Amino acid sequence: MLTSRTSWIDAQAKARRIIDHTRASLDFGKLRRYRLERVRAQLRRLDYSGCVLFDPLNIRYATDSRNMAVWTLHNAVRYAYIATEGPVVLFDFHNCEHLSDHLDLIDETRPATAWSYFAAGPRKQERAKTWADEIADLITAHGGGNRRLAIDSCNPEGYRALADLGIEVFDAQGVLEQARSIKSAEELACMRASVTTAEAAMTRMYEELKPGMTENQLWAIMNEVNASMDGEWIETRLLASGTRCNPWFQESSDTVIQSGDLVSFDTDLVGPFGYCSDISRSFICGPANDEQRRLYRLALEQIQTNMELLRPGLSFRELAEIAWKMPASCLPNRYSVVVHGVGLCDEYPSCVYLEDFKTGGYDGHFEAGMTVCVESYMGEEGGSIGVKLEQQVLITETGIEEISSFPFEEKLLNREI
């Protein structure tokens, strides 16, 4: 259990060293080839001729191309066609073809045909047909007669236009989630750079936390540090203080942090090289009380116990059955999952509590090379205190390796402090 701390200056310097070393020494060509082949292996397994990807995270994984990722999450203006046996064709936003000139696995870049209502208005169906015609031409040329196509996101007009051309459409999200689930050594190096960035930001947050500052002022530190180290974005703004920590999922606000408040947060940080750092901690602003310590120790016990259970071959159902048992008073406020995958973002698998397995669970097995986050939220139903902890780990051949190493809160572990 880590409790020793470093200074913001040292944490910042460490993060910059790791990022610079990764950028200079990593074989990015090997990283890209591994990820593309992972996608194609899934396409072969399912007998798909190829896939069309709109989700910017899926495009990034398969091609390493990035362009306005958050904006394109809600504006379908770029996509990629990947033939199972054939070319990778990136369709990019207006006048953006040059952004991927350095990516040798992209065989061709074309202007995208955007057919969302924002882009096409009342010409939506016409533009969807133009889009489908172009995709169908690629399938005819490179599909070997196979007209089974996987797509991760598509409006109804697109599905209908493809069906009119005799193309059978399947879901590509499962293809990409399975492909993304096993990390290469190069991916792990990128993830460690992201985690080190998040932990540098957390160190500065810890040092600057004081009564009288707002939640938003504290949360802004995470954003500033991530951007300054070439990080990409932050998926959520989950930070709350005092009684706003229970129940969980409050976003940061202009609430003023008071002396004696717990401050709980989740990083959800997409850092350098596009990999996610998903770590949660709870800080204490000023002196701690016994109830805060009690809940904090329970949360820490939960994630430590569940981390020790993880190993290759363990099924998601087995984990639910043997996982740390939450006190009845906290069970109604339990987090949505016990463990979840992490890569470019939160990914497969999603491993729920036994109480939720019948309605929301699914089975599978942990494998060596998966990176996962072990979760805890500890807050009693109707209570005024909530503790959020989360640790990011790698599943190894024999158990786990912790990727995140940010120390836990001494003032919440030791009565005398």
Side-chain angles (χ1 to χ4, degrees), residues 184-260:
S184 69
E186 291 75 22
E187 287 188 278
L188 292 173
C190 292
M191 182 175 288
R192 290 188 176 99
S194 177
V195 168
T196 306
T197 299
E199 293 184 336
M202 293 159 69
T203 300
R204 186 173 156 199
M205 291 168 69
Y206 189 83
E207 288 185 2
E208 295 194 18
L209 173 61
K210 60 183 181 296
M213 73 186 311
T214 67
E215 294 171 352
N216 285 337
Q217 287 172 328
L218 186 63
W219 189 239
I221 294 170
M222 179 73 69
N223 292 268
E224 179 187 347
V225 172
N226 188 41
S228 72
M229 296 192 180
D230 200 30
E232 300 194 8
W233 71 86
I234 296 179
E235 297 251 87
T236 68
R237 47 185 290 172
L238 293 174
L239 181 147
S241 62
T243 58
R244 296 184 73 249
C245 293
N246 187 342
W248 186 237
F249 289 112
Q250 300 268 17
E251 294 191 329
S252 68
S253 71
D254 284 331
T255 297
V256 175
I257 300 168
Q258 307 291 334
S259 179

Side-chain angles (χ1 to χ4, degrees), residues 104-407:
D104 60 344
L105 295 184
I106 297 175
D107 297 286
E108 182 182 358
T109 304
R110 304 181 186 180
T113 299
W115 46 275
S116 65
Y117 195 85
F118 167 65
R123 301 181 63 187
K124 186 175 181 180
Q125 291 185 346
E126 171 195 338
R127 296 282 290 278
K129 184 180 184 306
T130 301
W131 168 81
D133 286 342
E134 191 164 22
I135 298 300
D137 287 345
L138 287 167
I139 293 171
T140 299
H142 304 291
N146 182 344
R147 298 182 75 78
R148 292 161 53 88
L149 177 72
I151 302 182
D152 60 358
S153 178
C154 187
N155 288 343
E157 293 85 355
Y159 286 121
R160 288 195 291 267
L162 290 171
D164 289 344
L165 297 169
I167 296 169
E168 194 175 2
V169 175
F170 299 86
D171 174 42
Q173 194 59 45
V175 170
L176 269 292
E177 291 280 354
Q178 289 290 339
R180 287 160 57 172
S181 65
I182 306 297
K183 308 302 188 292
S184 69
E186 291 75 22
E187 287 188 278
L188 292 173
C190 292
M191 182 175 288
R192 290 188 176 99
S194 177
V195 168
T196 306
T197 299
E199 293 184 336
M202 293 159 69
T203 300
R204 186 173 156 199
M205 291 168 69
Y206 189 83
E207 288 185 2
E208 295 194 18
L209 173 61
K210 60 183 181 296
M213 73 186 311
T214 67
E215 294 171 352
N216 285 337
Q217 287 172 328
L218 186 63
W219 189 239
I221 294 170
M222 179 73 69
N223 292 268
E224 179 187 347
V225 172
N226 188 41
S228 72
M229 296 192 180
D230 200 30
E232 300 194 8
W233 71 86
I234 296 179
E235 297 251 87
T236 68
R237 47 185 290 172
L238 293 174
L239 181 147
S241 62
T243 58
R244 296 184 73 249
C245 293
N246 187 342
W248 186 237
F249 289 112
Q250 300 268 17
E251 294 191 329
S252 68
S253 71
D254 284 331
T255 297
V256 175
I257 300 168
Q258 307 291 334
S259 179
D261 278 351
L262 269 177
V263 179
S264 295
F265 64 91
D266 196 337
T267 60
D268 290 324
L269 177 149
V270 178
F273 314 111
Y275 280 81
C276 184
S277 174
D278 192 5
I279 309 166
S280 297
R281 289 294 186 268
S282 293
F283 297 162
I284 184 70
C285 181
N289 62 47
D290 288 344
E291 182 63 7
Q292 292 167 335
R293 292 189 181 98
R294 181 181 74 86
L295 290 176
Y296 191 92
R297 290 167 182 160
L298 287 172
L300 184 56
E301 181 181 338
Q302 181 179 24
I303 62 170
Q304 289 182 325
T305 300
N306 289 339
M307 282 194 297
E308 291 173 0
L309 298 173
L310 295 176
R311 55 177 171 77
L314 179 72
S315 76
F316 307 155
R317 173 79 195 204
E318 288 173 327
L319 176 64
E321 291 172 346
I322 64 176
W324 187 84
K325 302 305 178 186
M326 181 169 281
S329 62
C330 296
L331 192 61
N333 280 345
R334 64 187 175 276
Y335 199 69
S336 57
V337 295
V338 179
V339 170
H340 66 79
V342 66
L344 299 183
C345 61
D346 288 358
E347 298 176 351
Y348 171 89
S350 173
C351 305
V352 301
Y353 283 82
L354 186 61
E355 289 82 356
D356 304 316
F357 209 92
K358 183 176 181 180
T359 56
Y362 57 81
D363 214 350
H365 292 83
F366 292 102
E367 299 179 57
M370 284 183 170
T371 46
V372 301
C373 295
V374 184
E375 295 270 11
S376 178
Y377 173 75
M378 202 66 58
E380 293 185 326
E381 185 177 25
S384 60
I385 299 172
V387 173
K388 182 70 169 63
L389 297 179
E390 180 181 13
Q391 198 76 332
Q392 194 158 324
V393 305
L394 166 68
I395 308 290
T396 69
E397 295 291 346
T398 57
I400 65 157
E401 174 190 329
E402 295 185 47
I403 299 174
S404 52
S405 60
F406 192 87

